[in-house]
Amino acid sequence: MVVCKSWSELEKMHEAGLIVWSALEKMRTMVRPGITTKELDEFAEDYSAEHRARPAFKGYRGYPGSVCTSINQEIVHGIPSASRRVKEGDILSMDFGVELKGYFADAALTVGVGKTAPQREKLMRVTRESLEHAIEKVQPGNRLGDISAAVQDWVEQNGYSVVREFVGHGIGTKMHEDPQVPNYGVPGQGPRLQEGMVLAIEPMVNSGGPAVRVLDDDWTAVTADGSDSAHFEHTVAVTNKGPWILTRPREASGPVW
Ligand code: MF3
Ligand code: CO
């Protein structure tokens, strides 16, 4: 069942979303060769506490971290570790969500560490652009398949593949609500988008094939072929004024990350 939110609920979700956004913006400035993923996790945990928010991932189905940190061939759900240092040229996905006053927000971005190879820059750019194309489809009356197809088309036109095993999701008073938001689909199909629906749209894009493997830690999803992967996410509300990106400031414009 898809739950639509009132305007005052969307404002609460935006409050949560701004905490997620500002934490991730700070974390992106902290990323440099030698930093451990644990340091980023600790920052996010402290930042949440300072803002009276709860890190939404911690304890979710036993997940041990406050953020997911996924490097290079890791797609999503990488577990922060004090022994994992990022190095020059790596690409790092940072995924973070909080609960504030009973409402959730969830977002992610992928950043290069120091100077990164052009192929990796392109993978990150195309993945971010696929999210931007998807967000443009967040309009009342459109269909969920319009969003999914926008991601898939842009990704495949650029020679990459979308992951099938993990999907975006509705979000609100729970981190995961209906509907599922796949990164592949057919325009004009699926449920109609209505005012007040809120979707966490999160393209996961592999530079090689789409297949996924989960490591022995039972969390870290990696590409089966060892190719690089990138991930971007925003929490977006359907409104009669167009898409409202709840995980960034209202006045923001330009690239979504
Ligand atoms: N953005 C991811 C999601 O929506 C993060 C969840 S990680 C988990 O599913 F550890 F909480 F599962
Ligand atoms: Co999510």
Side-chain angles (χ1 to χ4, degrees):
M1 185 200 38
V2 178
V3 182
C4 292
K5 281 79 183 174
S6 68
W7 196 261
S8 74
E9 289 181 292
L10 296 184
E11 280 172 341
K12 287 187 207 169
M13 293 185 72
H14 191 214
E15 239 188 281
L18 289 177
I19 295 170
V20 171
W21 173 82
S22 54
L24 285 170
E25 282 292 339
K26 173 66 185 178
M27 287 155 68
R28 103 194 294 182
T29 72
M30 294 168 64
V31 172
R32 54 183 162 68
I35 193 171
T36 68
T37 51
K38 182 77 182 170
E39 287 170 80
L40 296 164
D41 191 64
E42 281 169 356
F43 170 80
E45 176 141 13
D46 294 346
Y47 194 89
S48 304
E50 281 163 26
H51 292 82
R52 306 270 177 272
R54 185 179 73 78
F57 302 172
K58 193 153 196 160
Y60 180 84
R61 300 189 176 193
Y63 185 74
S66 292
V67 296
C68 299
T69 47
S70 309
I71 303 169
N72 299 340
Q73 79 289 350
E74 297 170 358
I75 304 166
V76 287
H77 302 166
I79 299 173
S81 160
S83 61
R84 194 80 192 272
R85 291 179 194 280
V86 297
K87 56 182 195 302
E88 179 91 21
D90 282 347
I91 56 173
L92 168 67
S93 149
M94 300 184 289
D95 187 351
F96 181 48
V98 302
E99 178 185 4
L100 181 77
K101 301 175 191 168
Y103 289 87
F104 286 79
D106 183 7
L109 78 165
T110 303
V111 297
V113 181
K115 196 167 163 41
T116 42
Q119 309 90 278
R120 286 182 163 170
E121 292 291 332
K122 184 181 174 197
L123 174 65
M124 291 190 287
R125 175 177 58 79
V126 168
T127 307
R128 174 179 48 75
E129 288 168 346
S130 75
L131 174 58
E132 290 166 350
H133 290 308
I135 291 172
E136 286 170 21
K137 302 292 181 187
V138 177
Q139 304 283 353
N142 280 1
R143 302 262 186 183
L144 194 63
D146 298 334
I147 294 175
S148 302
V151 173
Q152 181 177 21
D153 289 351
W154 186 244
V155 166
E156 292 181 354
Q157 270 176 50
N158 280 280
Y160 301 139
S161 55
V162 293
V163 167
R164 312 308 207 249
E165 281 85 350
F166 302 98
V167 295
H169 48 95
I171 181 168
T173 57
K174 291 182 291 185
M175 181 164 71
H176 293 143
E177 297 185 358
D178 287 340
Q180 293 196 353
V181 184
N183 293 305
Y184 56 93
V186 180
Q189 290 195 359
R192 218 176 259 290
L193 305 182
Q194 290 183 37
E195 280 178 45
M197 283 176 62
V198 185
L199 305 173
I201 305 172
E202 48 181 320
M204 290 153 262
V205 175
N206 297 350
S207 60
V212 166
R213 190 164 68 80
V214 176
L215 299 186
D216 286 338
D217 63 16
D218 285 341
W219 280 104
T220 314
V222 300
T223 58
D225 60 9
S227 64
D228 292 327
S229 189
H231 177 214
F232 283 83
E233 177 176 17
H234 269 303
T235 295
V236 186
V238 182
T239 83
N240 61 8
K241 301 187 195 71
W244 180 8
I245 303 174
L246 298 174
T247 37
R248 77 169 186 172
R250 251 206 144 113
E251 62 278 12
S253 60
V256 294
W257 276 113

